Amino acid sequence: MRLRISNGRVIDPANTIDGVQDVFIADGRILAIGDAFQGFTADREIDATGLIVCPGLVDLCARLREPGQEHKGTIASETLAAASAGITTLCCPPDTNPVIDTPAVIELIRNRAEAAGYARIVPLGALTEGLAGESLSEMAALKEAGCAGVSNALRPITNTHVLRCAMEYAATHGLTVFLNPEDPWLRNKGCMHEGAVSTRLGLPAIPESAETAAVARDLMLIEQTGVRAHFCRLSTARAVRMVARARYDGLPVSADVSAHHLYLTEMDVADFNSQCHVTPPLRTQRDRDGLRAGLARGAVAAICSDHQPHEPDAKLAPFSATEPGISSLDTLLPLSLRLVDEDVLTLSEVLACLTHKPAQILGIEAGTLSTGAAADICIFDPQRYWELTESTLQSRGRNTPFMGWEFKGRVTHTLLAGKIVYELADS
């Protein structure tokens, strides 16, 4: 299909494009950007007057629950939700069931994503076999099968020697190691941030040092092994400063934060709200401000959804017994856009954190509107208000603390390789 998106404000941070222009698409790829393209006849034209046209969003962490937990969500249901949120590429951690530690599991995920046809899935391979933290995985085979990096997800590697060997092996194969920094001994089965709120509620708590001690250990090993590493979902201001210092010193490290950690704090848990039970835990107001400052300074490169859909029963228990996680694909873009209204980042900077910067971390060709690139595009109305309700939430998971919130900024169209995979009903 030959497509023309006309009169939209095209923002492509990777190419420093920001202006009202037309986008021309043919054979699933960007043909040109400009006011006119001689001889081009479109099969369909999208009038984007008053809308933002940007690259499709790249989400660094989304659990799709398949294979293994299809009662929470499936690749088809969650990629459809992603499409409605402007997300065209999702990175899937390896803690599926079975674990992504063989090429067969990667092929299964790829096949089901292609059959659904709503978004691309970039899997991470397991850093250790079965994520058990004992034996190294077959990283060469995982890379050949298409993994963008390796990770042990939320499972700790308690043996530091094993982690060192895993980093050395990953460096040998040019793979990025995705780290969830948390010391399991300091976590000590906690379920929320350690502070005045946890003391008042009487809940087992996770100190800041559980994150910072792990970051310190990992940075030492990264320096020793030379591996390229990415810190996932930092939650403390101090960890952000540590990563910023390491980057200044020349270590090949990057970091991301989840959109909900940029808005919620430990105070949101104050009424035992299980929808705010997340890993890493919601921290203090100072930590939240530190994460925002890290984004503004460039120490934190990307904003992700950390999408974790659950069935209703997973949140219906005493706080510490509920399953952590938020269904957050739907709120990734509108929460991020709030950073613009609150003068934390410019619109172009926010979109960079959602498009080409996460694509660079994954080492994939995505997140840009460069000529010849795949036409993965998000079109949204920046002035449109909408409310997150049971009827507007697209993910199968209903677990979100943002239910009832009014958001500004609504996706109207999402294109995957030039094909319209989502179109708002009244757009």
Side-chain angles (χ1 to χ4, degrees):
M1 173 181 284
R2 294 165 69 85
L3 226 157
R4 177 175 182 166
I5 304 170
S6 58
N7 304 315
R9 179 183 170 189
V10 179
I11 301 179
D12 179 14
N15 292 305
T16 60
I17 294 174
D18 187 347
V20 176
Q21 302 181 71
D22 292 358
V23 179
F24 301 89
I25 299 164
D27 299 325
R29 296 194 170 272
I30 305 291
L31 191 62
I33 296 177
D35 296 329
F37 190 78
Q38 193 172 5
F40 184 87
T41 304
D43 299 315
R44 179 174 173 185
E45 182 168 337
I46 298 174
D47 182 4
T49 303
L51 308 181
I52 303 290
V53 181
C54 68
L57 310 189
V58 179
D59 188 357
L60 279 178
C61 184
R63 286 176 170 79
L64 308 174
R65 302 308 194 189
E66 187 179 4
Q69 293 184 304
E70 287 81 356
H71 60 291
K72 296 177 183 287
T74 64
I75 287 173
S77 71
E78 301 315 290
T79 54
L80 176 58
S84 71
I87 302 165
T88 52
T89 301
L90 299 133
C91 180
C92 171
D95 51 353
T96 51
N97 185 16
V99 167
I100 305 176
D101 59 359
T102 65
V105 181
I106 298 169
E107 185 177 353
L108 181 150
I109 292 172
R110 281 256 168 86
N111 288 341
R112 296 194 180 174
E114 289 175 6
Y118 298 118
R120 307 177 197 281
I121 297 179
V122 179
L124 295 181
L127 190 59
T128 59
E129 284 184 5
L131 303 178
E134 296 175 354
S135 303
L136 306 189
S137 64
E138 293 292 340
M139 296 185 201
L142 295 175
K143 180 180 180 181
E144 187 175 346
C147 280
V150 285
S151 171
N152 226 52
L154 298 174
R155 312 274 183 85
I157 298 179
T158 54
N159 186 324
T160 308
H161 177 68
V162 171
L163 180 57
R164 174 192 169 178
C165 292
M167 286 185 174
E168 288 174 337
Y169 195 39
T172 301
H173 293 289
L175 284 163
T176 299
V177 175
F178 289 70
L179 299 163
N180 291 270
E182 186 176 70
D183 184 300
W185 312 114
L186 289 170
R187 178 187 176 92
N188 194 26
K189 300 180 181 178
C191 63
M192 73 167 294
H193 173 69
E194 182 179 281
V197 179
S198 66
T199 300
R200 179 165 61 83
L201 298 179
L203 291 172
I206 306 168
E208 174 196 68
S209 57
E211 180 168 289
T212 54
V215 170
R217 178 195 68 166
D218 294 346
L219 286 174
M220 291 300 102
L221 293 176
I222 291 164
E223 182 177 9
Q224 184 172 9
T225 62
V227 73
R228 188 172 61 245
H230 177 77
F231 287 98
C232 307
R233 270 76 66 201
L234 293 183
S235 67
T236 64
R238 189 170 183 184
V240 170
R241 291 197 297 272
M242 294 167 72
V243 171
R245 178 68 207 192
R247 287 170 56 84
Y248 179 80
D249 290 341
L251 288 189
V253 295
S254 55
D256 68 61
V257 296
S258 76
H260 47 262
H261 275 89
L262 297 171
Y263 284 91
L264 304 176
T265 70
E266 59 178 343
M267 297 303 294
D268 293 287
V269 184
D271 61 352
F272 297 98
N273 183 0
S274 62
Q275 302 296 349
C276 293
H277 184 190
V278 295
T279 298
L282 301 173
R283 301 287 185 177
T284 66
Q285 182 84 26
R286 287 192 299 278
D287 287 311
R288 192 208 69 165
D289 293 345
L291 299 181
R292 290 180 169 205
L295 272 174
R297 292 197 307 269
V300 177
I303 305 170
C304 71
S305 72
D306 195 15
H307 177 64
Q308 298 187 51
H310 286 297
E311 76 283 15
D313 287 351
K315 292 290 187 180
L316 297 177
F319 186 91
S320 59
T322 57
E323 295 186 50
I326 292 175
S327 177
S328 49
L329 290 175
D330 297 77
T331 51
L332 174 60
L333 179 62
L335 279 177
S336 300
L337 291 176
R338 283 194 173 208
L339 297 173
V340 180
D341 290 337
E342 297 177 10
D343 294 325
V344 177
L345 298 174
T346 67
L347 180 55
S348 181
E349 288 171 338
V350 163
L351 293 178
C353 292
L354 295 170
T355 56
H356 83 96
K357 286 186 176 180
Q360 284 179 340
I361 291 166
L362 291 170
I364 60 173
E365 294 181 2
T368 82
L369 298 178
S370 302
T371 302
D376 296 351
I377 296 175
C378 167
I379 305 174
F380 65 94
D381 184 345
Q383 300 300 325
R384 186 160 181 156
Y385 288 90
W386 63 284
E387 184 179 351
L388 187 69
T389 65
E390 287 286 344
S391 61
T392 57
L393 186 64
Q394 299 296 311
S395 168
R396 184 178 290 182
R398 309 274 104 176
N399 50 300
T400 170
F402 301 108
M403 196 70 78
W405 279 42
E406 184 182 63
F407 291 109
K408 182 184 174 187
R410 189 79 189 268
V411 173
T412 61
H413 301 78
T414 302
L415 281 68
L416 181 69
K419 178 185 174 185
I420 299 174
V421 292
Y422 172 76
E423 186 170 3
L424 188 65
D426 58 348
S427 62

